[in-house]
Amino acid sequence: MHEISLIRTVFNTLEAEFDAEELSRLQAVDLKVGLLSNVEPTLLQNAFAAVTQSEGKYETATLNIETVPVEVYCPVCDKNSPVKNYKFACSCGRPSSDVVSGTELLIHRIHFAEPAAVRST
Amino acid sequence: MQKIQRSSKAARGTVTCDNTTMHLLKANDFVAESIRKRMAEQNILLLNITSSAGSGKTTLLQETIKRIGDQANIKILVGDLETERDADRLRAVGGDALQIVTGGICHLEAQMVWQAMEGLNLDGVDLLIIENVGNLVCPASFDLGEDYRVTLIATTEGDDKPKKYPRMFLTSELMLVSKVDLLEYLPFSVDNVVADARDINPDIDVLELSTIKGTGVDAWCDWLLQKVAEKKEAAAVVAS
Ligand SMILES: Nc1nc2c(ncn2[C@@H]2O[C@H](COP(=O)(O)OP(=O)(O)O)[C@@H](O)[C@H]2O)c(=O)[nH]1
Ligand SMILES: [Mg+2]
Ligand SMILES: [Zn+2]
């Protein structure tokens, strides 16, 4: 799979949004990973460890992965139902491949420590 | 516009992100949209053909070129980890094929297709077919800007593929059950595979195929030519 390149994308995204001072206080990144994203959380954790070590950055930061179950939308019932046993259907029985969650692969939250000046007061 | 909900002060504490900007595949999806736009401008039907390695993609494309190469202007992009072999096979039957060597990457990304398109003369082309890298996992997540995604599943692979790789079947419009000439020797149920695929994607079309015996190849070619015609009709409606 492409876990290493996903972790590089996480860091590139952070570096585009935050400056070096902010990122020096990076504590944790929370990812949302849908069960349909074809990404294996363990492999992502391994890739995170490998990239932080080999690049010598963010070594004290942690990666938190929240897996998101698969849900489909039914227009008749106007509600979402979880997909069980690979049956993409509403609880009313109507088939639906309108997947409303489960394909996520995104940075959800980022945690920073307090800046030094604030911390000292 | 601020992409992340944050104040102008230095980031501290917990920052909650906007889901679309922080999507890890957004760069791919952005390029895929550019490809889709370009294909619409040039009236070219774009297909993304996926399967496990060895399900019969290249063999089918060879046969396709032989049968309808004179009825439609077809170009092919072939993704492979290391070799030029498949493009050579397609050229050997008169196909106009360009290899994308991914250098070990297990899927094609939209950026690779965009770059490869720079090396193609697309004037007058009706149909651009992408043969993806043989893998049902990663290619499922990467939109290449295609109109249709076609997935092959060979009778030699066992009939549990749809449930093992739901994302691929969810995102495909057509499933080709290939190598049906071997059905009598194998514990493979076409009915089970179709039922499983339709549990995931009720709208998926299915065609049984044996490229070697010729079963289903006409139906496949008809499907292709019909989709090419539909794309041109849609473009004519927009233009009028
Ligand atoms: N029995 C049988 N073998 C096939 C058929 N189509 C392809 N093959 C064989 O399957 C192998 C892999 O085919 P290929 O087209 O290279 O698969 P690809 O990796 O998906 O491009 C080759 O040895 C083909 O000769 C078919 O319809 N029936
Ligand atoms: Mg091939
Ligand atoms: Zn319902």
Side-chain angles (χ1 to χ4, degrees), chain A residues 73-79 81 89-94:
Chain A
Y73 174 74
C74 172
V76 179
C77 306
D78 190 28
K79 67 164 193 178
S81 298
C90 176
S91 55
C92 75
R94 286 186 188 81

Side-chain angles (χ1 to χ4, degrees), chain B residues 57-58 86 89 131:
Chain B
K57 298 182 295 300
T58 309
D86 284 354
R89 283 170 62 193
E131 177 181 333

Side-chain angles (χ1 to χ4, degrees), chain B:
Chain B
M1 199 184 72
Q2 196 102 48
K3 279 180 276 178
I4 296 183
Q5 302 160 17
R6 52 181 290 217
S7 70
S8 54
K9 287 190 216 130
R12 49 199 276 199
T14 298
V15 176
T16 301
C17 306
D18 167 334
N19 285 355
T20 49
T21 36
M22 299 307 246
H23 200 285
L24 297 183
L25 300 181
K26 83 174 166 174
N28 181 81
D29 293 349
F30 179 80
V31 179
E33 272 319 305
S34 307
I35 293 174
R36 195 164 276 123
K37 228 175 122 206
R38 187 162 164 202
M39 294 294 100
E41 279 161 13
Q42 305 198 48
N43 292 339
I44 301 171
L45 182 76
L46 182 63
L47 294 190
N48 179 3
I49 305 203
T50 65
S51 80
S52 306
S55 305
K57 298 182 295 300
T58 309
T59 310
L60 177 63
L61 292 180
Q62 287 178 300
E63 193 59 30
T64 305
I65 295 293
K66 286 190 215 159
R67 296 216 186 185
I68 58 167
D70 56 350
Q71 293 173 56
N73 187 339
I74 306 174
K75 302 235 172 174
I76 302 174
L77 289 172
V78 212
D80 193 77
L81 295 169
E82 303 293 349
T83 72
E84 280 270 342
R85 226 188 126 243
D86 284 354
D88 289 341
R89 283 170 62 193
L90 291 161
R91 284 185 211 116
V93 295
D96 194 345
L98 189 69
Q99 189 84 44
I100 305 176
V101 178
T102 64
I105 298 175
C106 53
H107 57 272
L108 289 176
E109 297 192 10
Q111 186 62 38
M112 302 175 193
V113 172
W114 182 263
Q115 265 164 20
M117 276 166 45
E118 301 293 303
L120 282 181
N121 178 3
L122 292 175
D123 292 343
V125 170
D126 303 308
L127 172 59
L128 178 59
I129 303 180
I130 302 166
E131 177 181 333
N132 215 314
V133 179
N135 171 357
L136 285 174
V137 184
C138 311
S141 302
F142 291 86
D143 182 9
L144 302 181
E146 67 265 26
D147 293 288
Y148 296 99
R149 187 174 287 189
V150 177
T151 296
L152 276 75
I153 164 167
T155 55
T156 46
E157 298 171 48
D159 51 18
D160 56 356
K161 282 281 184 312
K163 298 217 157 164
K164 276 190 178 156
Y165 307 102
R167 177 86 176 256
M168 189 58 96
F169 293 87
L170 184 70
T171 54
S172 297
E173 282 79 18
L174 176 62
M175 173 171 80
L176 300 175
V177 181
S178 65
K179 308 192 188 180
V180 293
D181 53 292
L182 301 176
L183 270 177
E184 55 184 306
Y185 312 106
L186 296 164
F188 183 100
S189 159
V190 176
D191 289 346
N192 285 353
V193 153
V194 173
D196 284 357
R198 290 205 169 133
D199 272 350
I200 294 164
N201 179 357
D203 302 322
I204 198 166
D205 286 329
V206 180
L207 212 63
E208 293 180 34
L209 191 78
S210 165
T211 311
I212 286 189
K213 285 224 172 142
T215 320
V217 180
D218 280 338
W220 157 249
C221 290
D222 289 348
W223 184 88
L224 276 179
L225 293 172
Q226 190 197 328
K227 295 300 179 194
V228 167
E230 283 172 11
K231 179 111 188 192
K232 294 210 185 298
E233 274 164 32
V237 170
V238 172
S240 67

Side-chain angles (χ1 to χ4, degrees), chain A residues 84-103:
Chain A
K84 292 189 198 123
N85 300 322
Y86 302 104
K87 274 210 190 305
F88 285 61
C90 176
S91 55
C92 75
R94 286 186 188 81
S96 167
S97 45
D98 184 359
V99 173
V100 289
S101 77
T103 60

